[in-house]
Amino acid sequence: MKNALLFWGIICTQLFPVFSDAQDLWSGYENLFLPAKNYVVYQTYNEMVIDGKADELSWQQASWTDNFGDIEGSRKPKPLYPTRVKMLWDKNFLYILAELTEPNIWCYYTTRDQIVFHENDFEIFIDPDRNTHNYYEFEVNAANTLFDLFLPKPYRNGGPPDISWNAAGFKSAVSIDGTLNDPSDVDKSWTVEIAIPFSSFDKEIENQTPVDGSVWKIDFSRVEWKTEIVNGKYEKIKNVQTGRFLPEDNWVWSPTGEINMHVPERWGMLQFTTNPVNGKNVTFQLPPEEKLEKYLWLVYYKQQNFRKTNGRFATSLAELSVPEVVTIDKKQSIDLKLSTKENHFLVELTTVDGLVLSLNEDSFLQKSHL
């Protein structure tokens, strides 16, 4: 009898494997699930003047983020120069202050919507409703040139960038501790101060003004090119053999695990509080669904790799080595369901209290309740 029970135990384990967070469910995908940074943004208590100087009392009270790291995370060297950000808000604007240490401050693009990441720049990515679709990108260089665009969905899903979109009412100013485009000296840093109107987030929901406790996806990137001085000007260095520019460095607030910023599900999180910046501290609260969504994203990433290998999407979770029931923190069980039809798939997650999260091949994330 004992041997028979052991036999059936082995068979059941093979047919219905039990997975936990401690096991190898995430093996090979660890770099896509790096811990996301978070920031609690407080309200201002004085009028903000966008002049690049950030000498308002509210800015002095606001906290800096950690210094940026490499976009791929700790497996790559730390950035050469520090970058950090702080944020505030009021009923009309999200305020962002970025400080970029830089010994050689340069840029030659001065016309709006030039692709400023072809030079050194500072970039902002925002997805207000956290569904990975309909998000916004803002890029500013040391000459205060703005490149703003809207994406209906990520590039990986065929999302065409809408460069014609302009953020109405966007304000920015740059101050430089050093000299712009002067290779004869050593600079210290440049600071960009930005005010983004909530009314400019107008491509999906009519009113995107946050309320107390709202959580947005947000991330920041700094593009840094390798340069040399030619005839008194900064020029990007080319590979002698290929004739191509040497690859740029991408230093970010919340690393995405790969050289790609257009993965909104891996950005950091911004929690709004109506507390003033000089008032009572607020602790960041992770939205409950964030911990669950990673299982949907694991299926999504595995589906993409499965199709590359097999020319089709998997029709069952078993083909992806993903269980239909997952236990989280040794206490909460969730059910996963995968449905596939031709070039489409939908993976759904249902909790015992009726929360339903779904994700399709277009990386569109939805939330509902039974």
Side-chain angles (χ1 to χ4, degrees):
M1 183 65 178
K2 182 178 179 180
N3 290 336
L5 289 174
L6 178 62
F7 170 78
W8 283 110
I10 294 173
I11 294 299
C12 289
T13 301
Q14 292 174 342
L15 292 177
F16 307 104
V18 177
F19 290 84
S20 70
D21 287 344
Q23 292 178 301
D24 61 354
L25 184 60
W26 312 95
S27 179
Y29 294 86
E30 295 89 347
N31 66 306
L32 306 184
F33 293 94
L34 300 177
K37 297 291 183 71
N38 62 72
Y39 188 96
V40 175
V41 58
Y42 295 85
Q43 290 203 327
T44 64
Y45 60 89
N46 54 261
E47 182 179 357
M48 306 296 289
V49 178
I50 305 304
D51 55 9
K53 298 177 182 178
D55 48 10
E56 292 85 359
L57 292 176
S58 290
W59 276 134
Q60 295 175 22
Q61 294 285 338
S63 298
W64 289 106
T65 64
D66 296 335
N67 284 332
F68 288 15
D70 189 88
I71 193 170
E72 295 186 75
S74 59
R75 60 181 180 176
K76 290 298 179 71
K78 292 182 178 181
L80 291 174
Y81 315 122
T83 310
R84 57 183 183 170
V85 166
K86 59 174 64 176
M87 289 171 274
L88 292 166
W89 73 296
D90 60 25
K91 64 180 181 179
N92 296 314
F93 294 94
L94 173 63
Y95 300 100
I96 298 170
L97 181 71
E99 180 185 80
L100 300 86
T101 301
E102 174 60 71
N104 301 293
I105 302 175
W106 68 278
C107 64
Y108 301 108
Y109 288 176
T110 57
T111 303
R112 183 165 181 166
D113 284 341
Q114 283 184 284
I115 304 176
V116 298
F117 68 77
H118 289 164
E119 301 180 335
N120 292 354
D121 77 344
F122 172 73
E123 305 177 356
I124 306 165
F125 301 82
I126 299 177
D127 181 9
D129 59 11
R130 311 198 323 266
N131 67 4
T132 79
H133 282 210
N134 300 305
Y135 63 90
Y136 304 84
E137 180 178 354
F138 309 88
E139 303 180 6
V140 179
N141 66 13
N144 197 29
T145 303
L146 171 64
F147 174 39
D148 52 355
L149 61 156
F150 166 78
L151 289 103
K153 54 185 176 180
Y155 290 119
R156 67 187 173 198
N157 305 113
D162 183 359
I163 298 175
S164 66
W165 174 82
N166 288 328
F170 182 98
K171 302 176 185 179
S172 64
V174 171
S175 62
I176 295 176
D177 189 353
T179 52
L180 181 64
N181 297 330
D182 183 357
S184 67
D185 64 359
V186 177
D187 306 311
K188 292 185 178 179
S189 64
W190 61 285
T191 300
V192 56
E193 185 179 18
I194 291 170
I196 308 175
F198 294 118
S199 60
S200 68
F201 299 106
D202 58 359
K203 297 291 287 185
E204 182 180 23
I205 300 175
E206 184 176 346
N207 183 9
Q208 286 282 18
T209 303
V211 297
D212 188 61
S214 293
V215 176
W216 289 11
K217 287 281 190 177
I218 191 168
D219 215 342
F220 306 99
S221 174
R222 173 181 177 176
V223 172
E224 185 82 4
W225 293 90
K226 300 171 181 64
T227 61
E228 59 186 350
I229 300 170
V230 179
N231 297 324
K233 292 185 64 176
Y234 293 100
E235 289 191 3
K236 294 187 292 186
I237 299 175
K238 290 184 177 180
N239 183 303
V240 177
Q241 296 180 331
T242 65
R244 297 178 179 177
F245 294 118
L246 296 181
E248 77 281 10
D249 288 313
N250 296 272
W251 302 331
V252 306
W253 175 51
S254 194
T256 63
E258 61 177 325
I259 305 176
N260 182 8
M261 283 302 299
H262 291 272
V263 284
E265 70 274 13
R266 296 182 230 153
W267 296 345
M269 282 172 280
L270 180 64
Q271 178 180 310
F272 294 84
T273 176
T274 51
N275 286 16
V277 68
N278 62 339
K280 183 179 179 180
N281 287 341
V282 174
T283 301
F284 177 81
Q285 299 293 323
L286 181 72
E289 62 270 21
E290 284 290 329
K291 197 165 188 178
L292 304 176
E293 289 167 4
K294 67 178 185 177
Y295 293 94
L296 301 181
W297 286 111
L298 180 64
V299 173
Y300 176 88
Y301 300 142
K302 287 194 170 189
Q303 278 283 46
Q304 303 308 319
N305 286 334
F306 187 93
R307 184 168 64 168
K308 288 178 183 178
T309 303
N310 300 279
R312 63 174 178 87
F313 286 128
T315 58
S316 70
L317 291 170
E319 284 189 291
L320 301 174
S321 298
V322 175
E324 294 183 358
V325 179
V326 179
T327 300
I328 301 175
D329 296 333
K330 298 181 180 180
K331 57 183 180 180
Q332 181 183 11
S333 294
I334 58 173
D335 296 326
L336 291 173
K337 179 182 178 182
L338 176 66
S339 55
T340 306
K341 184 177 180 181
E342 297 180 349
N343 294 320
H344 307 280
F345 74 84
L346 183 73
V347 56
E348 294 179 293
L349 175 157
T350 305
T351 65
V352 292
D353 57 357
L355 173 65
V356 180
L357 302 173
S358 65
L359 182 65
N360 67 7
E361 79 287 341
D362 222 19
S363 77
F364 184 49
L365 183 64
Q366 293 182 288
K367 174 183 174 181
S368 62
H369 287 86
L370 292 176

